Amino acid sequence: MQRLLVTGGAGFIGSNFVHHVVENTDHHVTVLDALTYAGNRASLDGLPADRVTFVHGDITDAELVDTLFADADAVVHYAAESHNDNSLHSPRPFLDTNIVGTYTLLEAARKHDRRFHHISTDEVYGDLELDDPERFTENTPYNPSSPYSSTKAGSDLLVRAWVRSFGVQATISNCSNNYGPYQHVEKFIPRQITNVIRGIRPKLYGAGENVRDWIHANDHSSAVLTILDKGRIGETYLIGADGERNNKDVVELILEQMGQPRYAYDHVTDRAGHDLRYAIDSTKLRTELGWTPQYADFESGLAATIDWYKANEAWWAPSKDATEAFYATKGQ
Ligand code: NAD
Ligand code: TDX
């Protein structure tokens, strides 16, 4: 049994990870989360109180972080400002949380000599052409496009420097686009599902040819547990499940699965600097650590996600109107 400290555990991927840990291990989890607009305490409802402790606080609070690291065996760091569109509108919180927050945690990891796993994104590598036969690997040069991805890239580099300079026992993973339950309605898939439920037409940025490499959040969680267990200190592992699809196909699949005509969506203003394509080669994680994804079938994973949003309107409804009002100001 380990005592895990999970930052950002009330967010989308962090909360899926906490559920996964409770269901698949005997670890105890302490969640540290600031409950920003993206955090939701209800995402942890139903978890046993003797397995999960919730601490409401900020990862830039060095004193609080120090206390929590003292009581943890290992730390998994999900907390971030995570939405590209928000970073184009208001970058400052991305610098505070993603850069200064990660720095604050690294200093505590160094002081207490704790195992630290840093959650990052494939977006640090920039984007690929649609017809490029290459995919991202651990050796692809960093080339981030947005304020969000540049702050994630900066946080990855801080982790590497704290490993090399101070011997911090850290690993990094860069994952592709996640889908599944508990994802905020600002993000592409939940936005379109909840639009259809509300009778609003889905909104596709630009022509919709941009490709994302989809992975179910549970597969991300199992990969992170594998890296915590068997990953080599100082190494980076890419996490992906061979799920490339363009946005237009995804919108049309959502409409079809929800009983609507496949063409019943709108093209709206494109995202500034919109990355064209992400694609992950996860050979290192699969061959060195023996990980394999379990949710290979995107269609059935998407259908289950649609069912979850239909059944959990009380979870997402409080955020929906404000999210759509913000998009409307940008013609999106
Ligand atoms: P999210 O926005 O849903 O959740 C972020 C969580 O962090 C929220 O609960 C929020 O309250 C918390 N948080 C934000 N600032 C904080 C602070 N200063 N102190 C403490 N808590 C704070 O994000 P997500 O989509 O779950 O992403 C989680 C992590 O995974 C991020 O590091 C992100 O970069 C990475 N990631 C996401 C994806 C994806 O597809 N969503 C893909 C690859 C990597
Ligand atoms: O309404 C929309 N219409 C649309 O066409 C929205 C919200 C998005 N899009 C497009 C933009 C992207 O090409 O869909 C794609 C996915 O968009 P997002 O859900 O905003 O995700 P993305 O920008 O790809 O970033 C996500 O994956 C990598 C996460 O939000 C990041 O945290 C993660 O690092």
Side-chain angles (χ1 to χ4, degrees), residues 308-331:
W308 189 88
Y309 281 92
K310 282 182 180 164
N312 290 280
E313 188 155 351
W315 181 90
W316 56 263
S319 311
K320 183 65 182 169
D321 291 345
T323 301
E324 288 307 311
F326 174 62
Y327 279 126
T329 64
K330 304 186 296 159

Side-chain angles (χ1 to χ4, degrees), residues 13 81-85 120-123 148-149 152 175-178 183 185-192 195 202-206 208 210-212 214 247 251 268 270-271 274-276 278 324 327 332:
I13 308 178
E81 285 293 334
S82 69
H83 194 36
N84 276 298
D85 291 322
S120 192
T121 169
D122 57 1
E123 298 193 19
Y148 162 67
S149 53
K152 290 299 292 187
C175 189
S176 60
N177 284 63
N178 285 221
Q183 188 170 26
V185 292
E186 70 188 356
K187 301 296 196 315
F188 178 55
I189 287 180
R191 183 182 184 204
Q192 315 313 339
N195 275 358
K203 310 291 181 212
L204 195 61
Y205 292 175
N210 308 64
V211 171
R212 296 295 181 264
W214 295 100
N247 294 340
V251 162
V268 295
D270 206 352
R271 174 183 285 170
H274 196 173
D275 279 341
L276 197 48
Y278 306 136
E324 288 307 311
Y327 279 126
Q332 292 180 322

Side-chain angles (χ1 to χ4, degrees), residues 14 27 44 116 134 155-156 170 174 237 261-262 288-289 308 314:
H27 301 327
L44 301 170
F116 185 77
E134 297 299 316
S155 68
D156 293 9
N174 298 77
Y237 298 90
R262 287 177 75 92
E288 284 189 19
L289 304 188
W308 189 88

Side-chain angles (χ1 to χ4, degrees), residues 22-246:
V22 168
E23 281 158 26
N24 294 284
T25 75
D26 60 359
H27 301 327
H28 181 273
V29 178
T30 297
V31 169
L32 171 60
D33 198 295
L35 296 178
T36 69
Y37 81 95
N40 192 337
R41 188 71 182 78
S43 303
L44 301 170
D45 279 357
L47 291 168
D50 61 341
R51 299 286 307 281
V52 180
T53 304
F54 183 80
V55 177
H56 184 197
D58 201 296
I59 59 167
T60 60
D61 180 344
E63 210 172 306
L64 173 63
V65 162
D66 186 74
T67 314
L68 295 173
F69 268 66
D71 286 337
D73 300 309
V75 180
V76 187
H77 173 34
Y78 288 92
E81 285 293 334
S82 69
H83 194 36
N84 276 298
D85 291 322
N86 292 344
S87 80
L88 296 165
H89 180 258
S90 176
R92 178 63 198 243
F94 290 75
L95 290 144
D96 293 338
T97 289
N98 300 359
I99 302 277
V100 179
T102 302
Y103 156 76
T104 308
L105 300 173
L106 284 167
E107 283 292 81
R110 173 187 175 194
K111 176 177 166 192
H112 294 281
D113 194 21
R114 292 295 187 262
R115 177 80 175 85
F116 185 77
H117 182 70
H118 178 63
I119 302 293
S120 192
T121 169
D122 57 1
E123 298 193 19
V124 300
Y125 300 113
D127 60 353
L128 298 161
E129 293 299 327
L130 293 179
D131 59 358
D132 191 334
E134 297 299 316
R135 299 189 291 172
F136 298 139
T137 73
E138 288 78 5
N139 298 318
T140 303
Y142 274 39
N143 188 26
S145 311
S146 73
Y148 162 67
S149 53
S150 63
T151 57
K152 290 299 292 187
S155 68
D156 293 9
L157 298 182
L158 291 177
V159 177
R160 290 184 183 188
W162 260 244
V163 171
R164 169 119 183 207
S165 303
F166 305 121
V168 167
Q169 308 170 57
T171 42
I172 300 175
S173 56
N174 298 77
C175 189
S176 60
N177 284 63
N178 285 221
Y179 73 97
Y182 303 112
Q183 188 170 26
H184 195 279
V185 292
E186 70 188 356
K187 301 296 196 315
F188 178 55
I189 287 180
R191 183 182 184 204
Q192 315 313 339
I193 294 171
T194 55
N195 275 358
V196 175
I197 293 172
R198 283 280 170 91
I200 306 168
R201 284 163 70 94
K203 310 291 181 212
L204 195 61
Y205 292 175
E209 285 174 351
N210 308 64
V211 171
R212 296 295 181 264
D213 190 350
W214 295 100
I215 181 173
H216 194 280
N218 275 341
D219 279 335
H220 190 176
S221 296
S222 70
V224 170
L225 274 182
T226 302
I227 296 165
L228 263 185
D229 188 26
K230 298 191 243 174
R232 284 186 290 134
I233 298 304
E235 292 292 313
T236 289
Y237 298 90
L238 262 54
I239 305 174
D242 302 328
E244 283 187 71
R245 299 208 170 225
N246 75 31

